[in-house]
Amino acid sequence: MTTIEYNHIVKKAQGRFNGGIHPTECKTLSNQQAIQSLPLPNFLILPVQQNIGQPGEIICQVGDEVSQGQLLVDNTEVFGANIHAPLAGKIIAIDQYPTNHPSGLPQTCLKIKTAKQQVSTELFSPINWQQVEPQQLLERIKLAGIVGLGGAAFPTHVKLAAQPINTLIVNAMECEPYITCDDRLLQEQSQQVIQGALISAKIVNAKEIIFATEDNKPDAIKQLSQCIKQIKSEVTIKIIVAPTKYPSGGEKQTIELVTGKQLPKGKLPASMGLLVQNVATLFAVYQAVNKGMPLTSRLVTLTGNQIKTPGNYWIPFGTTIESIMQHFDISDFTNQPVVMGGPLMGQPIFNYQAPVTKATNCLIFNIAATDEKMWLTQSTQHQPCIRCGECDKACPVDLLPQQLFWFSQSDQWDNLENQGLFDCIECGACAYVCPSEIPLVHYYRYGKSSIKTIQRNHEKSEKAKKRFEFREMRLARAKEERALKHKKAAEARKKAAQDKKADPTGKQTAINEALARVKAKKSAQNSTNPQPKE
């Protein structure tokens, strides 16, 4: 491992954040080997929704032959992202399949039988990004279906639409144990990641690019700094190195380390003139613009005690956990969950038919027994809280985890919100230091989901109330209109009766009506052809 040389490009972070922990890193399991690829799976289970937005329109049918890169799900929603065929093959089903959620709830997916001979579709032409307008680059990123590959899967084109931006921060912290895909990507594809950063900087008109990383990645820092020296650009590019501490990769924590300033509560980084992007996301931007390739696969860390050759592998979206297990000959793993994501913020997946998606950056097959403290999902029974206060010290966003726990446990929703529950980033640092092994994050997630459910129900009731009030108003108005109509009809009948009584034969009424018509006609003629003034 090389040492870090600090210079005008590589600088130490001046900022710091409160709290945080130092868990066992377990990164050497997978970051010592070069990036590899797995054999093509026999079939893919491709969810039609892989990000926070609404699902798009499926534009293919069962029986269709599709080529690699072909658009399968067209998503025009504000927070939507297109889905392309990761591999060539034939669509054999559009049905409900389990996906990467611990609930095991099914989701609409496309099942693709992969072809032996792979044929790719040139969906896009490469763009010389230095000679086109930013809007064209933004449209390419949108069409390519690129989302944040750090785990949140937020549509990248929406994030890049924020203006004005002075500084683009590239989040290369990768602070969670076991995960090393961004580390290896910087070691082997630094030039491409920098190009992706420059493209993004052009879109948002940023004048500065800062790569933010931890000091446990000296090889990546060295390779990145060498590539930066070769870049000739008007945009300033530098590297900020922070001490290794979890969760430095959280967006707010990264900003505080880089700028020394805290992001104001309820504000987005754009309010400070900042934009934060993940390493893998910028590589995908480079691929879409310079190579014309939509997002159909990603680099995933495959690690854990059950993997004979842990490392980082390019995996097409839709590849099932089961097919990965078959490749690595993992057969004695029955009834054990695979951790999708890191051990502190990841999710336990018990159904091996679940696929790799855009949000999957790591799969852990059996965490070491000595590291089970990190695996928050491991603990179902816990001891009572002893009010030691360790969770308060570890919280990186200065919350009171102990109070949140009590309020969540007793369903005190208003108090939970007032204590800043939704500021919790669910990093798990509080649960990691808890001597009673309370899975605090699970209580917070329960509180968040319960509050959101209450809010949704309240919104539904408010809408129902408005609909009822509008219906009552409409019925009352209709009743008034009918009453007025009846009143006018009654008055007309009364007048007719009076006229008949005064003129039984009806001759005078007919004469009066004829005179009124003549008078009206003459008045109309005079208004159309006015007499000249003398």
Side-chain angles (χ1 to χ4, degrees):
M1 183 177 289
T2 59
T3 57
I4 300 172
E5 296 182 3
Y6 294 97
N7 47 54
H8 68 286
I9 294 177
V10 184
K11 300 180 179 180
K12 289 185 179 181
Q14 300 301 311
R16 59 180 297 275
F17 62 90
N18 294 329
I21 56 176
H22 296 87
T24 308
E25 295 180 14
C26 303
K27 292 179 179 288
T28 54
L29 282 171
S30 58
N31 69 356
Q32 303 301 305
Q33 298 79 30
I35 295 174
Q36 305 174 61
S37 297
L38 295 179
L40 298 183
N42 294 326
F43 62 87
L44 303 174
I45 302 294
L46 192 65
V48 300
Q49 181 184 9
Q50 300 185 30
N51 64 298
I52 65 168
Q54 295 297 317
E57 179 187 0
I58 301 173
I59 57 174
C60 55
Q61 298 177 351
V62 175
D64 287 357
E65 300 281 348
V66 297
S67 54
Q68 186 178 11
Q70 180 178 331
L71 181 63
L72 302 180
V73 180
D74 186 11
N75 201 323
T76 57
E77 295 290 331
V78 176
F79 297 109
N82 292 340
I83 304 292
H84 303 81
L87 297 171
K90 182 178 181 179
I91 297 177
I92 59 176
I94 301 177
D95 208 343
Q96 299 285 310
Y97 293 93
T99 54
N100 55 349
H101 192 277
S103 67
L105 293 174
Q107 181 182 341
T108 302
C109 299
L110 308 175
K111 187 172 184 179
I112 303 174
K113 174 68 176 177
T114 55
K116 294 182 179 179
Q117 297 294 329
Q118 288 296 305
V119 179
S120 61
T121 297
E122 188 175 324
L123 187 64
F124 309 119
S125 299
I127 296 176
N128 186 340
W129 62 270
Q130 294 174 320
Q131 299 180 2
V132 299
E133 294 298 319
Q135 187 59 39
Q136 186 175 343
L137 299 174
L138 194 64
E139 184 66 19
R140 168 60 58 86
I141 291 169
K142 178 181 179 180
L143 293 175
I146 299 176
V147 299
L149 299 179
F154 190 85
T156 302
H157 69 275
V158 177
K159 206 169 183 180
L160 288 174
Q163 297 285 348
I165 300 297
N166 298 319
T167 302
L168 169 64
I169 299 176
V170 183
N171 189 341
M173 292 292 184
E174 201 169 46
C175 59
E176 194 159 3
Y178 283 94
I179 308 176
T180 61
C181 50
D182 286 351
D183 185 3
R184 286 308 311 185
L185 198 57
L186 284 177
Q187 290 187 48
E188 300 186 36
Q189 303 288 347
S190 285
Q191 194 72 36
Q192 290 83 345
V193 175
I194 294 172
Q195 289 294 314
L198 288 170
I199 293 169
S200 300
K202 178 175 180 177
I203 293 173
V204 298
N205 197 29
K207 301 297 185 292
E208 182 183 38
I209 297 174
I210 297 177
F211 283 82
T213 186
E214 292 182 313
D215 57 12
N216 62 352
K217 304 174 184 64
D219 294 329
I221 294 169
K222 180 180 179 181
Q223 181 63 30
L224 187 61
S225 62
Q226 290 175 351
C227 291
I228 290 174
K229 292 176 182 177
Q230 300 171 6
I231 296 291
K232 294 182 179 180
S233 172
E234 295 179 357
V235 180
T236 303
I237 307 176
K238 60 184 178 182
I239 305 169
I240 297 294
V241 182
T244 300
K245 183 170 72 167
Y246 178 85
S248 59
E251 187 173 68
K252 291 183 177 180
Q253 287 68 45
T254 301
I255 289 173
E256 195 166 353
L257 287 168
V258 170
T259 67
K261 301 176 182 178
Q262 287 188 347
L263 182 66
K265 182 181 173 119
K267 297 290 186 179
L268 295 175
S271 65
M272 297 175 64
L274 304 172
L275 175 69
V276 182
Q277 290 283 25
N278 172 261
V279 169
T281 306
L282 295 178
F283 181 80
V285 168
Y286 163 81
Q287 293 280 86
V289 174
N290 288 45
K291 302 292 184 181
M293 297 170 58
L295 183 60
T296 58
S297 64
R298 68 162 298 156
L299 193 62
V300 180
T301 301
L302 302 181
T303 185
N305 292 341
Q306 290 286 334
I307 297 285
K308 296 177 181 178
T309 55
N312 292 279
Y313 297 80
W314 288 111
I315 300 182
F317 301 136
T319 302
T320 63
I321 294 174
E322 184 180 49
S323 65
I324 295 173
M325 293 171 66
Q326 290 173 351
H327 170 73
F328 289 100
D329 195 25
I330 302 175
S331 56
D332 58 342
F333 200 62
T334 310
N335 298 325
Q336 295 188 49
V338 175
V339 179
M340 186 170 283
L344 287 160
M345 296 186 70
Q347 300 283 1
I349 306 298
F350 289 88
N351 194 320
Y352 303 151
Q353 291 297 317
V356 169
T357 67
K358 295 180 181 182
T360 307
N361 58 358
C362 180
L363 291 173
I364 308 176
F365 296 86
N366 192 13
I367 292 179
T370 55
D371 300 326
E372 285 183 357
K373 175 70 174 173
M374 287 190 292
W375 193 0
L376 304 184
T377 57
Q378 193 82 340
S379 176
T380 54
Q381 299 294 328
H382 59 79
Q383 300 299 316
C385 174
I386 61 174
R387 295 184 177 273
C388 64
E390 291 299 317
C391 54
D392 295 353
K393 298 175 185 176
C395 181
V397 288
D398 298 326
L399 298 176
L400 298 173
Q402 185 184 118
Q403 290 298 106
L404 294 176
F405 166 63
W406 287 112
F407 291 145
S408 180
Q409 196 177 38
S410 55
D411 294 354
Q412 298 185 48
W413 311 129
D414 290 339
N415 288 333
L416 264 177
E417 284 198 87
N418 294 335
Q419 285 290 333
L421 174 66
F422 287 93
D423 289 333
C424 172
I425 61 175
E426 300 180 14
C427 65
C430 54
Y432 181 81
V433 300
C434 179
S436 297
E437 297 186 351
I438 303 173
L440 294 166
V441 175
H442 293 290
Y443 283 96
Y444 306 155
R445 288 173 179 165
Y446 163 69
K448 287 181 179 180
S449 63
S450 298
I451 291 172
K452 288 178 181 178
T453 300
I454 292 171
Q455 290 174 344
R456 282 195 297 268
N457 291 337
H458 178 71
E459 290 172 0
K460 287 180 181 179
S461 65
E462 284 296 314
K463 288 180 180 178
K465 180 181 177 182
K466 288 180 180 178
R467 287 197 301 268
F468 175 78
E469 291 175 346
F470 179 77
R471 179 177 180 274
E472 290 297 302
M473 181 186 69
R474 179 171 54 81
L475 292 175
R477 184 174 59 192
K479 185 177 180 180
E480 290 177 0
E481 290 175 351
R482 284 196 302 270
L484 182 61
K485 184 178 180 181
H486 293 160
K487 182 180 179 181
K488 288 181 178 179
E491 290 176 349
R493 287 193 299 270
K494 183 178 180 181
K495 185 176 183 300
Q498 291 174 349
D499 291 343
K500 187 174 181 179
K501 186 176 180 180
D503 184 19
T505 61
K507 291 182 179 180
Q508 187 61 42
T509 300
I511 293 171
N512 292 337
E513 290 177 353
L515 290 173
R517 287 196 298 271
V518 171
K519 187 176 180 180
K521 185 176 180 181
K522 187 174 181 180
S523 177
Q525 288 176 348
N526 290 336
S527 61
T528 306
N529 302 308
Q531 296 295 327
K533 296 181 179 180
E534 296 182 0

